[in-house]
Amino acid sequence: MDLLGNLALGFATSLSLHNLLYCFMGALFGTLIGVLPGLGPVATIAMLLPITFGLEPVSALIMLAGIYYGAQYGGSTTAILINLPGESTSVVTAIDGYQMARQGRAGTALATAALGSFFAGTVATVFIALFAPPLAELALEFGPPEYFALMVLGLIASITLASGSLLKALAMILLGLLLGLVGRDIYTTEARFTFDLQNLSDGLQFVALAMGIYGIGEIVRNLEAPETRSVAVTKVGGLMLSWADIRRIAAPVLRGTGLGAVLGILPGGGALLSSFASYALEKKLSRHPQEFGKGAIEGVAGPESANNAGAQSSFIPMLTLGIPSNPVMALMVGALIIHGITPGPAFVAEKPELFWGLIASMWVGNLMLVVLNLPLIGIWVRLLTVPYNYLFPAIIVFSAIGVYSVNNSTADVLVMAGMGVFGYILYKLDCEPAPLLLGFILGPMLEENLRRSMLLFRGDAGQFFTRPLTATLLGIALVSLVVVLLPTISRKREVVFKE
């Protein structure tokens, strides 16, 4: 009965007129930036963070969440129609979706992606409602040592699941932790790494850093590559699935949803990982594996369901433990902190209307996205013809205005510009920026819980291993790191990521 009562509270919150409006705006923005290649949800949410300052926390979070899962829907449109994923999680969808479009089945591919995503979003919403509150109750028993160990495990997991070199991912984590230490010491108030610059005394601004690395850095990267957009089909029809199609996609959608719901909780981009895992699973289980890569409908249904379920289940560790599992969740933590709310175990009990309102809005948003993506597909097709050189100046201007408006500080705009250059250098060096952002967000929390723990232990670090849960979490982190460093596993990991 508690669950039903809480869901009733959630729907009462999310179905209020102004929250419906913000949910629709988030879904619309998400679809738009998913459709337009070159601007992902991280950059967009970073740009829109300043706009949310004047909103109620629940409205702000509903809109930002809508942008995230809306981008999963929108990204599939470009992947299918022009073989150019608008979002990283739609890379797999492009393999068979584009081939279906070339065969005159673009409508079927788009309908499969939208309906599979809707089903996965609905199941993921129920999954969050069932498992997030018990996890939050369990986490209330955690002390500083357990939180420290949990954050270490989260950071190690994000390293092992990051694509590319393990050494580079570890370097990004450490650099993120160092950047998080810029500013005044939390206990002594001594300035650290500020180089006597007053503007850095409060630390680097999260919005400026995120917008620079993901927004400006991504723009420079896209300008370097020539535009290669060729729309496979300019008019989409046949959006209704046949019974044969429904029979073929039913099992992949179910498997993809289950896989995404579980993998989405893992640190390091669960939605992306689950879409690749789903494609590999469907190809292995298929009676016609030779069709994959040539227009197999299962190759669209499974990954699209998996990435949407993964995107939504990634909210669980963020809301209940305060630990972001990917860069978007790091931005969500930033948004809550800006509003004076600390996500964590007490969040569910202290802010029930916010927690349950967000969960209920996910289902409402998914329903809106089906309406936005299928009947309005003609509008999205026409948007694909807009040249990128018209888009990027507007993006830069809005980014600069957004960053400046946070603190009315020109220094933040300069930090954004500097981080934009830095983000481009990371791209050229094949360094994934996601671990850096996670390290930056978790760095201050990691330091605080470590120092609290050392005060509890009177300086004896060995006591971390006398507490069963702390020792277990640190042990899992150590074993995970050692295992992926083994030459055989390391080679297999590289092969998997290349595939």
Side-chain angles (χ1 to χ4, degrees):
M1 284 303 291
D2 276 351
L3 178 61
L4 291 176
N6 287 327
L7 285 174
L9 171 65
F11 277 107
T13 304
S14 64
L15 292 176
S16 65
L17 194 59
H18 66 285
N19 283 336
L20 275 175
L21 176 63
Y22 287 117
C23 185
F24 177 77
M25 284 170 60
L28 185 64
F29 275 132
T31 304
L32 180 63
I33 58 105
V35 165
L36 295 173
L39 186 67
V42 179
T44 306
I45 290 172
M47 281 193 289
L48 293 178
L49 266 184
I51 297 173
T52 67
F53 293 166
L55 302 181
E56 289 290 317
V58 66
S59 302
L61 211 59
I62 282 173
M63 186 174 81
L64 295 177
I67 291 170
Y68 182 37
Y69 51 78
Q72 315 302 318
Y73 278 77
S76 64
T77 302
T78 48
I80 290 165
L81 296 180
I82 62 172
N83 198 25
L84 187 61
E87 229 289 288
S88 59
T89 52
S90 300
V91 169
V92 183
T93 308
I95 300 170
D96 285 287
Y98 183 63
Q99 294 303 319
M100 288 179 71
R102 292 184 68 183
Q103 294 161 18
R105 302 187 68 209
T108 304
L110 289 165
T112 300
L115 296 174
S117 294
F118 175 70
F119 176 81
T122 302
V123 173
T125 302
V126 175
F127 184 73
I128 297 171
L130 288 174
F131 292 102
L135 183 60
E137 284 183 27
L138 174 67
L140 283 170
E141 307 299 319
F142 284 15
E146 285 77 19
Y147 262 111
F148 170 74
L150 194 63
M151 288 175 193
V152 169
L153 177 59
L155 290 173
I156 295 297
S158 72
I159 293 170
T160 58
L161 295 175
S163 59
S165 163
L166 275 173
L167 191 61
K168 288 178 181 177
L170 183 60
M172 288 295 96
I173 283 281
L174 293 174
L175 184 57
L177 290 171
L178 283 173
L179 290 173
L181 296 178
V182 173
R184 296 196 176 276
D185 186 284
I186 53 175
Y187 291 115
T188 66
T189 70
E190 284 290 319
R192 302 181 300 188
F193 309 120
T194 60
F195 303 101
D196 289 331
L197 296 172
Q198 191 62 35
N199 289 313
L200 293 180
S201 61
D202 290 329
L204 290 168
Q205 292 302 313
F206 174 70
V207 176
L209 183 131
M211 211 181 287
I213 290 177
Y214 278 96
I216 308 301
E218 192 72 18
I219 286 168
V220 178
R221 173 183 164 182
N222 287 325
L223 288 174
E224 184 184 49
E227 276 195 281
T228 53
R229 295 189 199 178
S230 60
V231 181
V233 57
T234 53
K235 190 175 181 181
V236 178
L239 291 169
M240 294 297 290
L241 297 178
S242 67
W243 279 111
D245 289 331
I246 291 169
R247 281 196 295 273
R248 285 188 67 174
I249 70 169
V253 165
L254 287 169
R255 284 191 290 263
T257 300
L259 198 62
V262 174
L263 292 179
I265 300 171
L266 298 177
L272 179 62
L273 183 71
S274 55
S275 63
F276 279 91
S278 174
Y279 189 83
L281 180 66
E282 292 311 319
K283 192 173 180 181
K284 191 162 285 188
L285 294 177
S286 176
R287 294 176 185 173
H288 313 286
Q290 70 280 3
E291 289 183 16
F292 279 75
K294 297 175 184 175
I297 196 169
E298 296 91 341
V300 175
E304 275 300 303
S305 303
N307 79 47
N308 205 271
Q312 289 186 211
S313 65
S314 62
F315 279 86
I316 293 176
M318 188 276 285
L319 292 172
T320 58
L321 303 173
I323 296 176
S325 58
N326 57 48
V328 174
M329 290 304 110
L331 285 162
M332 293 290 184
V333 171
L336 284 169
I337 291 170
I338 284 166
H339 284 278
I341 298 168
T342 304
F347 177 74
V348 180
E350 291 175 1
K351 301 282 182 182
E353 73 289 340
L354 179 51
F355 177 78
W356 292 102
L358 175 63
I359 289 176
S361 78
M362 289 178 181
W363 186 83
V364 176
N366 273 284
L367 189 60
M368 286 180 178
L369 283 162
V370 173
V371 176
L372 278 171
N373 276 266
L374 294 182
L376 303 180
I377 192 66
I379 295 171
W380 307 125
V381 171
R382 281 196 289 276
L383 268 174
L384 294 174
T385 59
V386 177
Y388 191 69
N389 58 351
Y390 292 161
L391 291 174
F392 84 85
I395 294 167
I396 291 175
V397 169
F398 283 121
S399 298
I401 292 170
V403 167
Y404 180 79
S405 67
V406 176
N407 293 315
N408 292 333
S409 169
T410 51
D412 289 349
V413 179
L414 293 174
V415 168
M416 181 189 76
M419 285 298 165
V421 174
F422 182 59
Y424 176 69
I425 292 169
L426 291 182
Y427 161 68
K428 298 300 284 185
L429 295 174
D430 285 328
C431 292
E432 195 177 339
L436 183 145
L437 200 62
L438 291 176
F440 180 76
I441 278 285
L442 290 178
M445 292 189 273
L446 190 78
E447 182 198 10
E448 186 177 352
N449 283 293
L450 173 61
R451 291 173 74 168
R452 282 183 179 176
S453 300
M454 295 305 286
L455 285 171
L456 283 172
F457 299 154
R458 298 184 182 276
D460 181 10
Q463 288 195 41
F464 275 110
F465 301 97
T466 63
R467 297 168 74 108
L469 184 57
T470 307
T472 302
L473 292 170
L474 289 173
I476 294 170
L478 182 63
V479 169
S480 302
L481 192 58
V482 169
V483 166
V484 293
L485 286 172
L486 293 173
T488 310
I489 302 293
S490 185
R491 279 195 296 272
K492 284 183 179 176
R493 177 180 173 276
E494 285 175 18
V495 170
V496 167
F497 278 116
K498 280 178 183 174
E499 286 181 357

